[in-house]
Structure formats: structure tokens, C-alpha cells
Amino acid sequence: MNDAVARPEPLTKQDFEALARFRFAIRAYLRFSEDAVRAAGLTPQQYQLLLALKGFPGRDWASVRELADRLLLRHHSVVELVGRAQKQGLVHRSAHPSDGRAVRVTLAPAGERVLTRLGALHRDELRRMDTAILPPEWESASSSPESSPSPESESESAPSCSPSLAPSPD
């Protein structure tokens, strides 16, 4: 076995800082999302369900199996989630026209309205976060130490969190 394949390239302090910044930005976005969704009267899972339906490629409905795949949940969990969302008037269920075992799930008008409001809030938050949510850029593994930037210039060019996402100094 080739040693280059067997052992990963060692990480630098700057690599760990970039990973930590990225993880912090993801968590900050998720916290924002959870708070916004709960303020609108939904659970985060319900919002994810509505978003998966609206964002499903090529059509305006999805089967429970497809939703389970998109939400990374088990089929029976999505059945329960869809059932609760249907009781709240957020989605409709109907028989699949060509597969009697499958169920089509579509957005109901109330689900469409709340998703439109929440979608705009989420888009605006991502715009506000700008580059903080972008994954770190890594130097090429083939870069030689002579051609690599110095640690000082590397930290100056590293992506940073927007001021409102930066950790407090305490």
C-alpha cells in the first residue's frame, strides 16, 4: 500500500483554525434557522420537510421514500412527520397515480406561505454571513514549503467570520 494513501496529510494550525471557523459558521446558521423556524410556529424538521418538497428537483411533489432520502431519516419517521404536517395544514398526501404502494406529498397553501417567509429569512441570513459559511480553501498537497505562503500571510488571507459571527473575546 502506498504511504501517501495510507496516511493523511498532517494538518497545520491554520487548517484547524479554518475548520473551526467553518464549523462555527455552520452552527451559527443552524442556530439562526432553529430560532426563526420556531418563532414561525414550526419545528426544524417541519421546515426541512417543506423545504425538501419545494426544492425537490423537477417537480412539485415527492414520495415519502424520496423525502426520507432527502431528510436523511427513516421511512417511518417521515410518515409520522408528514402526518403531523398534514394535521397542521402544511402538506397534502395523495395516492401515487402509478404506484399504489407510494404516497405523493405536496405543499398545502399554508405550507407554501410559511415556507416563502422562512425561505426569504434564510436567504437573507446567508447573504449576511457572506463568506463565513464558505468551506475553507486548502493549499495543494503538492505545494512545496518554499512556494507556500508564510504563516503570517496565510492567516491574513484566511476566511474570517463576519463581525456578528466572530466569537466574543471573553
Side-chain angles (χ1 to χ4, degrees):
M1 181 180 246
N2 184 343
D3 282 345
V5 175
R7 284 182 282 171
E9 179 183 348
L11 280 87
T12 65
K13 172 71 170 143
Q14 290 80 17
D15 291 336
F16 284 109
E17 289 174 8
L19 286 169
R21 271 193 309 275
F22 181 60
R23 177 72 177 114
F24 176 73
I26 290 170
R27 187 61 201 119
Y29 178 75
L30 291 175
R31 171 69 57 88
F32 159 82
S33 179
E34 292 163 2
D35 292 346
V37 165
R38 285 194 169 96
L42 299 180
T43 67
Q45 294 80 12
Q46 287 172 322
Y47 172 70
Q48 291 169 27
L49 171 68
L50 301 180
L51 185 59
L53 277 169
K54 185 70 173 183
F56 198 83
R59 58 182 198 252
D60 60 357
W61 62 272
S63 71
V64 172
R65 172 67 51 212
E66 291 167 329
L67 291 168
D69 291 345
R70 288 283 172 143
L71 297 171
L72 303 175
L73 295 172
R74 291 192 173 108
H75 183 271
H76 71 274
S77 298
V78 175
V79 169
E80 294 172 11
L81 179 60
V82 168
R84 289 190 303 272
Q86 185 179 24
K87 284 180 184 171
Q88 286 186 269
L90 301 171
V91 300
H92 295 299
R93 281 193 284 200
S94 61
H96 192 288
S98 61
D99 184 352
R101 300 165 299 163
V103 173
R104 272 189 177 186
V105 183
T106 57
L107 278 176
E112 184 83 43
R113 284 190 300 274
V114 71
L115 181 61
T116 298
R117 285 193 312 272
L118 288 170
L121 288 173
H122 283 79
R123 180 200 56 215
D124 294 347
E125 179 66 6
L126 284 171
R127 284 179 177 159
R128 188 190 67 73
M129 292 177 77
D130 193 28
T131 60
I133 198 76
L134 294 177
E137 291 186 26
W138 309 111
E139 295 224 9
S140 168
S142 62
S143 296
S144 66
E146 302 84 51
S147 66
S148 296
S150 68
E152 295 82 28
S153 66
E154 204 172 296
S155 65
E156 290 170 13
S157 65
S160 63
C161 293
S162 63
S164 64
L165 292 178
S168 55
D170 49 316

